[in-house]
Amino acid sequence: MIKQHYLYSLLLFILVTTAGCNSTTVRSTEREKIAAQPVQIPENLLLDVGIGIFNPGVDALSSEPGVYPKIREAEARFMPYILMETMQNSGSWGIVRVIPQRQSEMDLWVNAEILRSDGENLHLLVRVQDSSGKIWYTKKYTDKASKYSYDTSLPNRTEPFQALYNQISNDMLLHYQQLDANEIASIRLITELKFAKAFSAEAFSEHLGIDKKGRYFITRLPADDDPILQRVKQIRERDYMFVDTLQEYYASFARQMQEPYLEWRRAYYEENKALQEVKSQSRNRIIGGAIAVLAGILAQGVDSRTARTAGAVGIGAGATAVMSGLNKREEAKVHAEALEEISASMDAEMEPHTMKLEDRTVTLSGSVNEQYGQWRQLLKDIYEAETGQIAPSPQS
Amino acid sequence: MKTFISTLRQLLAYCLLVLTAACNTVPSSSSSSSSGSPPPGSSSSGSSSSSSSSSSSSGSGQSSSSSQGAGAGQSSSQQGSQPGSQTGSEAGAESGQAQSSGEQSGGNQDGKSDDEILADALGEFEKGRNAGNQAAEEDGQGSGAGQTAGANGRTTAGTGSGGQSAMTDEEKARILDAQLSGKFAKFDDLMLGERDKISKSDNESGSGGGYGGSGDGDGEGYDDDPLQTAMADQQPLPARGSGFPGDKIRDDISPAPGDVGDGQDDDIIARQLREAAQKEKDPELRAKLWDEYRKYKKGA
């Protein structure tokens, strides 16, 4: 009697849960907001930030499921731009620029690797370092997109992972606020001297030293009226101009990529959610169905007619659940194939834009570097003429 | 009067003889370098006088005479052991003239006017003084021979004659500075050209729109919910000035145009655009920055 009651309860439980089983996802709509300094920072205490192209985190020939190399290459150039805009708009920094390959000298450098990126998740490993070589911190950032980010009914959509970029900016600001004015001034001066030394090693070779940890420190201050220094300042203005021109490239790239990339993420997000849902249902139904079948088989061995009837129902229901689960699995395949198709087309769409950006950046950088080389030689000649000394060969 | 003139003539002849004797004691090699620039302040005699004086020292080697041009900065290429060996048409003319005059005067002084005799004597005197200076230079420096450094009076950097070397270095630095400025101008053109290409490319592709999710950062915490209007165009972000120690913030700020307002309601980006435009020295760039400022304010 107790055994029959137990079997009835078990069968009832399995049938109910299998029929009503679905997965739920809880999403929080709270997002990290960007923080700013309560008081405007004086210009001489602002730090300039350079953001490098992100490491895509995948090999170009990677065939890992769910990873699309061309999209990652494009993201590696798109995401720094979004971070740049976020930090620039915070009002807590000097100039913030995307600079590939550290072609210029900046007070702070931000480098990141994309660990995971689909429409739903974004994981970044971020490292922040100042011009002296000191690493401020290395941290992994993760974020899940809200479904509202892809809701086309909303009038103004924002970057789905804006909260992550806000968090990066806020963390950097927190670290900055722990520095005193002398430390900030030292970072700025080291940046200036590194730049000057890059163009006139003869005149500025004795102004910076390197300690055992490989960090720069100031050994001499330059004279205010140093004529070579004045020329280096003129060069620095041109360098700013070059970096600003590079920003135009990345801005143009971001504008072209923005809409298709958002659509891809939305489609990927929805298909991915559906896929997960279906997989979960499939799994639950198959499991539930198998248990029901098993329980029904067991019930057949019981003497009670009621139990045997219930057992037969359980077998039937269980089999139905298993079949339903298998159908869901087929449905999941459809979604997975849809994801592949969407991503492949996106891959193809992004590649020419990325290649064009690279070509223009490399071409312009090549032209500029060639000119920089000529300027260095001229500065060397001027130094020799003005000082009457033969400048030593700059050490690399 | 005639007695006086004859006395003067004898006196000059005597001086001539003395000088000739003095010249004969000077080594002939010294003449090669003395053919360069005459010492500052030295007067240059006419070519004929030097030419005639050259003939009188033919005994000491015609190289000295032929190389001693007019004493007015003749090129050192005139030097040569062979009579008439010169380079340059001027040197040739001078040497020829020298030789002819020398021959003419090398015979005797009969038939020459008093003026000519006086001129010849003065030329000889000049020649002798140049030879003496050259000997002094050689004794002092030991590098005179072969130093045919320019009839234009410039010395090389290695001679150690300080004043002229510094001027040369200054001139050199100025020339290099001008070259550097020229290259800066070319670079500026390159950057402006690139930016024009980008803006044209964007206009053709019709790309636009942007996220507004980062919100407006004006120094206060703000809400980044999706309520911001997307910017139609990305604005150029200005660079801050360099910050070498003791470098004051540039105070050469140009006034704002009358149509842009006082900027009291500017957000971070507008403020940076305004500051960059006011500090920009290049008028063309400044105008472009003001245009971008107006576009941004209109869009915002």
Side-chain angles (χ1 to χ4, degrees):
Chain A
M1 192 63 181
I2 296 174
K3 193 176 178 180
Q4 292 174 5
H5 181 73
Y6 173 75
L7 281 174
Y8 294 152
S9 301
L10 179 62
L11 282 172
L12 185 62
F13 172 76
I14 290 169
L15 287 171
V16 168
T17 53
T18 306
C21 187
N22 55 13
S23 59
T24 56
T25 303
V26 177
R27 290 285 178 266
S28 170
T29 55
E30 285 192 13
R31 301 171 67 196
E32 176 91 10
K33 295 178 184 175
I34 194 161
Q37 284 281 82
V39 180
Q40 190 170 348
I41 302 173
E43 194 274 342
N44 63 329
L45 293 180
L46 288 173
L47 293 180
D48 295 341
V49 183
I51 303 174
I53 301 300
F54 288 4
N55 183 343
V58 293
D59 193 291
L61 301 176
S62 171
S63 57
E64 185 181 336
V67 175
Y68 307 95
K70 297 292 185 292
I71 298 178
R72 279 291 182 92
E73 293 281 344
E75 288 175 321
R77 285 141 182 88
F78 179 80
M79 291 178 182
Y81 186 79
I82 300 298
L83 179 60
M84 183 275 287
E85 281 201 310
T86 303
M87 293 187 68
Q88 189 78 54
N89 291 337
S90 72
S92 303
W93 309 98
I95 59 171
V96 186
R97 298 287 185 268
V98 178
I99 303 179
Q101 300 169 4
R102 290 207 179 189
Q103 288 169 312
S104 188
E105 293 294 340
M106 303 296 271
D107 301 323
L108 284 181
W109 283 101
V110 180
N111 295 97
E113 180 180 352
I114 303 172
L115 301 177
R116 182 179 180 182
S117 174
D118 51 43
E120 186 181 7
N121 301 281
L122 179 59
H123 297 179
L124 296 178
L125 181 64
V126 175
R127 187 181 74 168
V128 181
Q129 183 179 30
D130 65 31
S131 61
S132 72
K134 180 181 175 185
I135 296 177
W136 281 17
Y137 65 86
T138 302
K139 186 176 174 182
K140 182 178 175 183
Y141 292 87
T142 61
D143 194 16
K144 262 187 183 299
S146 162
K147 65 176 181 179
Y148 300 108
S149 301
Y150 300 115
D151 189 342
T152 54
S153 64
L154 290 175
N156 294 300
R157 288 177 295 170
T158 60
E159 164 61 35
F161 300 104
Q162 187 60 53
L164 185 146
Y165 299 110
N166 293 347
Q167 192 177 353
I168 295 173
S169 179
N170 294 345
D171 287 350
M172 287 178 65
L173 184 60
L174 272 176
H175 198 101
Y176 167 82
Q177 289 168 341
Q178 295 169 9
L179 302 176
D180 59 31
N182 288 334
E183 287 171 308
I184 294 169
S186 177
I187 291 172
R188 285 166 55 106
L189 185 55
I190 288 173
T191 308
E192 301 286 358
L193 289 172
K194 284 172 76 174
F195 183 88
K197 188 177 174 182
F199 279 91
S200 185
E202 307 82 20
F204 298 101
S205 59
E206 297 177 1
H207 293 71
L208 285 176
I210 299 179
D211 64 14
K212 294 176 185 177
K213 294 182 182 178
R215 295 183 193 166
Y216 287 91
F217 61 93
I218 300 165
T219 54
R220 273 178 59 186
L221 294 177
D224 293 346
D225 58 349
D226 187 336
I228 297 287
L229 181 63
Q230 301 303 319
R231 295 180 182 94
V232 169
K233 286 183 183 180
Q234 294 181 44
I235 292 176
R236 191 127 203 244
E237 295 298 322
R238 268 85 191 170
D239 192 62
Y240 284 138
M241 204 186 299
F242 163 56
V243 169
D244 284 348
T245 305
L246 282 181
Q247 300 313 291
E248 296 291 322
Y249 288 170
Y250 288 102
S252 175
F253 176 81
R255 283 194 290 273
Q256 293 168 11
M257 180 175 167
Q258 184 181 321
E259 279 303 315
Y261 181 50
L262 183 63
E263 286 306 310
W264 172 78
R265 286 191 288 180
R266 181 189 61 77
Y268 200 97
Y269 177 88
E270 291 175 356
E271 288 293 331
N272 210 21
K273 295 305 292 180
L275 176 62
Q276 288 174 11
E277 188 83 15
V278 165
K279 277 184 177 176
S280 175
Q281 288 177 3
S282 166
R283 186 170 50 247
N284 291 344
R285 289 181 187 190
I286 289 175
I287 293 173
I291 293 176
V293 167
L294 184 60
I297 290 171
L298 287 175
Q300 294 304 304
V302 178
D303 293 335
S304 163
R305 183 180 174 182
T306 308
R308 286 199 296 275
T309 304
V313 170
I315 291 172
T320 304
V322 167
M323 285 303 297
S324 173
L326 290 175
N327 289 336
K328 282 290 181 184
R329 186 178 285 179
E330 288 300 314
E331 191 179 330
K333 275 189 188 176
V334 172
H335 287 295
E337 285 170 1
L339 277 173
E340 286 290 329
E341 196 174 316
I342 292 167
S343 300
S345 68
M346 178 68 181
D347 232 21
E349 189 172 348
M350 282 295 105
E351 186 176 12
H353 291 295
T354 308
M355 284 179 61
K356 183 182 173 188
L357 171 67
E358 283 303 290
D359 287 345
R360 294 173 82 184
T361 306
V362 168
T363 302
L364 180 64
S365 299
S367 302
V368 168
N369 287 337
E370 188 180 331
Q371 298 220 9
Y372 282 1
Q374 294 174 11
W375 298 354
R376 284 192 193 93
Q377 184 59 45
L378 277 171
L379 282 180
K380 182 169 178 288
D381 294 340
I382 292 172
Y383 175 83
E384 290 177 1
E386 288 185 341
T387 61
Q389 301 169 18
I390 303 296
S393 300
Q395 297 176 0
S396 60
Chain B
M1 187 60 183
K2 284 188 180 176
T3 309
F4 174 73
I5 292 172
S6 64
T7 306
L8 184 62
R9 188 183 298 175
Q10 287 172 8
L11 183 62
L12 285 172
Y14 176 73
C15 290
L16 200 63
L17 286 171
V18 170
L19 285 172
T20 304
C23 288
N24 286 339
T25 63
V26 175
S28 62
S29 62
S30 67
S31 63
S32 61
S33 48
S34 65
S35 63
S37 61
S42 64
S43 59
S44 57
S45 56
S47 57
S48 58
S49 60
S50 62
S51 303
S52 61
S53 62
S54 69
S55 64
S56 63
S57 62
S58 58
S60 63
Q62 281 190 333
S63 61
S64 60
S65 59
S66 60
S67 62
Q68 286 287 342
Q74 282 286 336
S75 164
S76 60
S77 57
Q78 286 187 11
Q79 64 172 294
S81 58
Q82 299 302 321
S85 62
Q86 72 278 342
T87 59
S89 57
E90 288 186 2
E94 291 291 349
S95 295
Q97 195 175 13
Q99 289 186 9
S100 62
S101 301
E103 288 172 3
Q104 189 178 9
S105 59
N108 50 49
Q109 296 186 4
D110 291 341
K112 291 188 81 172
S113 66
D114 293 338
D115 290 336
E116 286 175 349
I117 294 171
L118 180 59
D120 289 345
L122 289 173
E124 267 306 307
F125 177 73
E126 189 62 35
K127 187 179 73 171
R129 192 169 71 172
N130 290 341
N133 287 339
Q134 184 56 40
E137 284 179 8
E138 282 190 343
D139 291 342
Q141 297 174 12
S143 61
Q147 278 283 352
T148 57
N152 57 1
R154 294 175 61 182
T155 60
T156 59
T159 58
S161 48
Q164 287 187 339
S165 175
M167 181 62 68
T168 305
D169 287 340
E170 283 179 13
E171 288 175 355
K172 186 179 175 187
R174 274 199 291 272
I175 292 169
L176 292 169
D177 241 342
Q179 288 180 11
L180 190 60
S181 297
K183 291 191 183 295
F184 284 164
K186 284 186 183 175
F187 180 88
D188 295 345
D189 289 341
L190 172 66
M191 290 299 116
L192 286 175
E194 283 297 319
R195 293 192 184 186
D196 283 343
K197 279 186 205 172
I198 294 167
S199 66
K200 281 179 189 171
S201 166
D202 280 348
N203 290 338
E204 285 169 7
S205 64
S207 60
Y211 292 126
S214 54
D216 187 5
D218 54 355
E220 301 174 353
Y222 59 90
D223 189 358
D224 62 340
D225 285 344
L227 297 177
Q228 296 289 330
T229 304
M231 286 165 54
D233 292 314
Q234 298 296 333
Q235 306 303 324
L237 301 173
R240 72 176 171 95
S242 56
F244 279 98
D247 188 21
K248 297 179 184 176
I249 296 175
R250 290 178 287 178
D251 52 2
D252 51 341
I253 295 178
S254 58
D259 63 324
V260 297
D262 58 3
Q264 292 293 332
D265 58 341
D266 283 349
D267 59 12
I268 282 288
I269 294 176
R271 182 172 59 83
Q272 287 179 343
L273 281 169
R274 175 182 280 267
E275 284 177 4
Q278 286 180 319
K279 288 178 184 176
E280 180 57 50
K281 290 179 182 174
D282 185 329
E284 195 176 330
L285 271 176
R286 186 167 59 236
K288 288 192 177 184
L289 282 168
W290 279 122
D291 286 341
E292 293 298 335
Y293 174 83
R294 292 187 188 93
K295 277 188 208 171
Y296 176 76
K297 292 287 285 187
K298 193 177 174 185

